[in-house]
């Protein structure tokens, strides 16, 4: 068993008795833990994250494991510093230089063309497999190059590729260890901003937000040390790091910090798509922090300015539910109907996203109106929802709800018409769910027929009294 696998077993094993100390600062060693460690613990520590790992030597690989952040940090650090078996690129270069100096006067033996071509081929194959999503093949290719003491440029390329392949395969601990190994052995270079950014993203996905933030800030710090000629090429990476910092604060519930950081993007020269995303995040942070009026204004401004953005359908949903929460049902209904009437066919994926948000917004608001006894707006929404998709699995339950609304509005003839249409079309369908709805529609139709027949007979016996009774009811 490799020592890296031992660390993984250590993480997923029995370290719950003594609450681990906080993770040390970047660059310092992890403090030791004294005392025995029991095998099990029924209650996990409060600062835990979900870690799904698929490791050949890990027990119960399919089980969900809760791992404290304070254990993740020292385990990854030690794995990167001590147990990672890849060679040190700088040490390899130093050894080669020493060999060259010791053989002065002798003609150096150049690297064979075959070895150079093989390494280039492996790097090309690894990148191709990575682009195709074939992580295991990419890992094999990149690891062969990394273990062969390649020149510095190829060492950087192979380690970055290996880390990305581990990340793609879900082996987050190995990915972080590879990134940290690269940053430790080759701490300065054009690769460092990208490596810090990507390792920060992996750490945040693992739940280690403090370490993630430190890596994101390292992107900015290392970029300042790079040659001025490269500033423009690194600007995009720095902006991404700034966005990740703001988004991390949003994800951990620090909404005021997130709003402050996202607002800074209005001052930057960035793409309009990125600016739209920042403004959408501001509106959501205002919503999550309870500033509903300010959030509603922000969502209205966003829809007005970025009505075709990828976040626009969700903005409609947020605005409609916000207005309903603010006791402004007419405005909420108007926003929802506007969303349902949008026909968006920019692309298949884009249209599917709009369709999902249309369905979710309309169904949620229609159900809320119906439950509150506001049957007229509920009826309008159900009828609008029917128009966005003609699939029987979608329209059948909506038509049934339409019939119920007509009943509650005492429009029995309209309700009977809807139920009859459902029964005639539903008999041709074999879906069990649709057949259940058809049976309910048949029962509702029988009740309506009986009620109308009874009222007609009562009216024939005593027209005046029956009419007064029906009117009062």
């Amino acid at each position: 068993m490799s020592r890296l696998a031992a660390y993984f077993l250590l993480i997923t094993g029995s370290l719950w008795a003594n609450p681990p100390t906080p993770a040390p600062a970047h660059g310092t060693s992890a403090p030791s833990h004294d005392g025995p460690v029991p095998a099990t613990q029924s209650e996990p520590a409060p600062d835990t994250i979900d870690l799904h790992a698929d490791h050949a030597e890990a027990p119960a690989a399919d089980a969900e494991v809760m791992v404290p952040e304070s254990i993740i940090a020292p385990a990854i650090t030690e794995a990167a510093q001590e147990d990672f078996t890849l060679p040190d690129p700088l040490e390899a270069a130093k050894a080669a230089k020493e060999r060259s100096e010791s053989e002065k006067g002798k003609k150096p033996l150049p690297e064979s063309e075959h070895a150079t071509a093989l390494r280039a081929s492996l790097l090309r194959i690894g990148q191709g497999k990575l682009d195709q999503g074939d992580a295991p093949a990419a890992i094999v290719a990149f690891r062969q190059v990394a273990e062969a003491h390649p020149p510095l440029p190829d060492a950087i390329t192979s380690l970055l590729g290996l880390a990305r392949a581990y990340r793609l395969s879900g082996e987050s601990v190995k990915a972080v260890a590879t990134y940290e190994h690269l940053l430790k052995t080759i701490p300065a270079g054009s690769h460092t901003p990208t490596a810090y950014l990507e390792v920060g993203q992996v750490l945040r996905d693992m739940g280690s937000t403090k370490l993630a933030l430190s890596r994101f800030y390292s992107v900015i710090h290392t970029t300042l040390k790079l040659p001025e000629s490269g500033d423009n090429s690194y600007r995009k990476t720095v902006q991404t790091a700034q966005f990740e910092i703001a988004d991390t604060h949003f994800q951990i519930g620090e909404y005021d910090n997130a709003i402050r950081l996202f607002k800074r993007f209005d001052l930057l020269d960035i793409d309009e798509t990125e600016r739209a995303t920042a403004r959408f995040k501001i509106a959501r942070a205002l919503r999550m922090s309870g500033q509903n009026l300010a959030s509603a204004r922000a969502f209205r401004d966003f829809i007005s300015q970025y009505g075709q953005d990828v976040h626009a359908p969700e903005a409609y949903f947020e605005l409609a539910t916000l207005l309903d929460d603010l006791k402004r049902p007419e405005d909420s209904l108007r926003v929802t109907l506007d969303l349902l009437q949008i026909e968006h066919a920019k692309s298949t994926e884009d249209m599917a996203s709009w369709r999902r948000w249309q369905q979710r917004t309309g169904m949620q608001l229609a159900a809320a109106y119906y439950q509150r006894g506001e049957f007229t707006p509920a009826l309008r929404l159900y009828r609008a929802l029917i128009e966005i998709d003609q699939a029987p699995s979608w329209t059948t339950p909506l038509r049934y709800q339409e019939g119920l609304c007509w009943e509650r509005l005492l429009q029995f003839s309209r309700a009977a018409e809807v139920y009859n249409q459902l029964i005639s079309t539903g008999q041709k369908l074999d879906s069990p769910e649709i057949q259940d709805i058809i049976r309910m529609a048949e029962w509702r139709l029988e009740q309506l027929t009986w009620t109308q027949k009874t009222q007609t007979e009562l009216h024939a016996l005593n027209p005046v009294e029956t009419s007064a009774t029906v009117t009062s009811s």
Side-chain angles (χ1 to χ4, degrees):
M1 180 187 300
S2 67
R3 297 188 63 187
L4 180 58
Y7 270 108
F8 186 82
L9 292 177
L10 178 68
I11 290 174
T12 58
S14 56
L15 293 181
W16 302 112
N18 296 325
T21 57
H26 181 55
T28 61
S29 60
S32 61
H33 298 276
D34 299 327
V37 180
T40 58
Q41 177 81 5
S42 59
E43 295 286 338
D47 58 337
T48 58
I49 63 166
D50 291 339
L51 180 62
H52 298 276
D54 183 13
H55 196 282
E57 299 180 33
D62 295 332
E64 181 176 346
V65 182
M66 304 297 290
V67 184
E69 178 178 339
S70 49
I71 290 180
I72 292 176
I76 289 175
T77 302
E78 293 185 30
Q81 293 178 352
E82 299 177 4
D83 293 271
F84 207 71
T85 57
L86 294 178
D88 186 328
L90 291 183
E91 291 296 329
K94 182 179 178 182
K97 183 179 179 181
E98 290 175 352
R99 286 195 303 271
S100 175
E101 291 177 352
S102 66
E103 297 177 358
K104 284 182 177 179
K106 299 179 182 179
K107 186 177 181 180
L109 295 175
E111 183 182 32
S112 69
E113 294 182 1
H114 173 73
T116 303
L118 177 61
R119 188 170 60 246
S121 178
L122 285 171
L123 289 176
R124 186 169 58 253
I125 291 172
Q127 188 59 50
K129 294 298 182 181
L130 190 62
D131 294 340
Q132 295 170 12
D134 188 354
I139 290 171
V140 172
F142 285 126
R143 181 129 197 159
Q144 285 189 33
V145 176
E147 290 177 342
H149 300 277
L152 215 56
D154 288 347
I156 293 171
T157 302
S158 61
L159 288 173
L160 271 178
L162 182 60
R164 290 164 178 165
Y166 280 136
R167 181 183 181 185
L168 179 64
S169 68
E171 299 179 84
S172 299
V173 173
K174 286 186 177 182
V176 173
T178 308
Y179 282 120
E180 296 290 354
H181 176 74
L182 172 61
L183 291 167
K184 176 179 178 292
T185 55
I186 314 176
S190 59
H191 65 284
T192 52
T194 300
Y196 274 122
L197 176 65
E198 293 180 9
V199 74
Q201 292 169 337
V202 178
L203 286 166
R204 186 182 60 191
D205 293 342
M206 294 173 67
S208 186
T209 53
K210 292 181 181 179
L211 284 174
L213 284 171
S214 73
R215 300 305 186 264
F216 292 143
Y217 278 111
S218 293
V219 175
I220 302 172
H221 297 157
T222 55
T223 303
L224 295 175
K225 301 176 184 178
L226 293 173
E228 292 185 3
S229 59
D231 283 351
N232 290 334
S233 62
Y234 302 128
R235 184 177 63 179
K236 179 66 176 178
T237 304
V238 171
Q239 289 176 350
T240 303
Q242 291 172 323
F243 191 92
E244 297 288 0
I245 291 169
D247 201 36
T248 302
H249 284 290
F250 177 86
Q251 291 185 27
I252 62 179
E254 296 179 358
Y255 300 117
D256 291 339
N257 284 335
I259 293 168
R260 174 176 55 81
L261 293 170
F262 278 125
K263 282 183 176 179
R264 293 181 181 177
F265 283 87
D266 281 337
L267 307 176
L268 300 177
D269 182 17
I270 60 176
D271 185 82
E272 281 301 303
T273 301
E274 297 172 342
R275 195 183 309 279
T277 302
R279 292 190 179 180
F280 175 77
K281 292 282 187 177
I282 291 172
R284 285 218 55 208
L286 289 168
R287 167 73 155 147
M288 299 300 294
S289 62
Q291 304 178 57
N292 290 346
L293 286 174
S295 179
R297 287 193 296 270
F299 279 123
R300 277 194 185 278
D301 293 341
F302 178 86
I303 291 171
S304 175
Q305 190 167 358
Y306 302 104
Q308 301 300 313
D309 186 76
V310 66
H311 296 100
E314 186 176 356
Y316 273 102
F317 169 79
E318 294 284 359
L319 179 58
T321 53
L322 259 174
L323 293 171
D324 193 54
D325 292 343
L326 293 170
K327 310 301 181 185
R328 295 165 58 181
E330 293 182 359
D331 291 337
S332 176
L333 177 63
R334 190 178 303 111
V335 170
T336 306
L337 290 174
D338 288 343
L339 172 61
L340 297 181
Q341 292 168 2
I342 293 175
E343 294 185 7
H344 206 81
K346 188 175 181 181
S347 68
T348 303
E349 182 180 353
D350 191 48
M351 183 173 63
S353 176
W354 279 83
R355 183 68 54 81
R356 285 193 301 271
W357 284 108
Q358 286 175 327
Q359 293 173 342
R360 178 179 176 182
T361 307
M363 290 295 290
Q364 182 167 319
L365 270 295
Y369 284 127
Y370 188 89
Q371 293 296 327
R372 293 199 299 258
E374 301 175 28
F375 302 115
T376 299
L379 177 62
R380 292 183 64 185
L381 287 178
Y382 283 129
R383 300 188 74 179
L385 283 165
I386 291 172
E387 300 300 322
I388 67 175
D389 193 340
Q390 298 303 312
S393 59
W394 172 254
T395 59
T396 301
L398 291 173
R399 293 303 304 273
Y400 180 75
Q401 290 297 129
E402 179 189 356
L404 291 178
C405 289
W406 284 122
E407 279 194 65
R408 299 300 185 272
L409 293 170
L410 304 181
Q411 300 292 319
F412 300 124
S413 60
R414 299 293 298 272
E417 179 182 349
V418 171
Y419 293 142
N420 277 315
Q421 290 176 352
L422 272 178
I423 294 168
S424 62
T425 57
Q427 290 175 346
K428 305 173 185 177
L429 304 172
D430 297 331
S431 170
E433 293 81 6
I434 292 180
Q435 291 305 314
D436 287 340
I437 297 174
I438 297 304
R439 282 191 288 272
M440 291 190 294
E442 290 173 343
W443 185 84
R444 300 297 309 179
L445 184 60
E446 289 178 3
Q447 295 299 310
L448 283 177
T449 303
W450 180 85
T451 301
Q452 289 178 317
K453 180 181 178 181
T454 303
Q455 288 182 346
T456 302
E457 292 175 352
L458 290 174
H459 183 74
L461 293 173
N462 194 344
V464 178
E465 183 178 348
T466 305
S467 178
T469 301
V470 172
T471 303
S472 62
S473 62

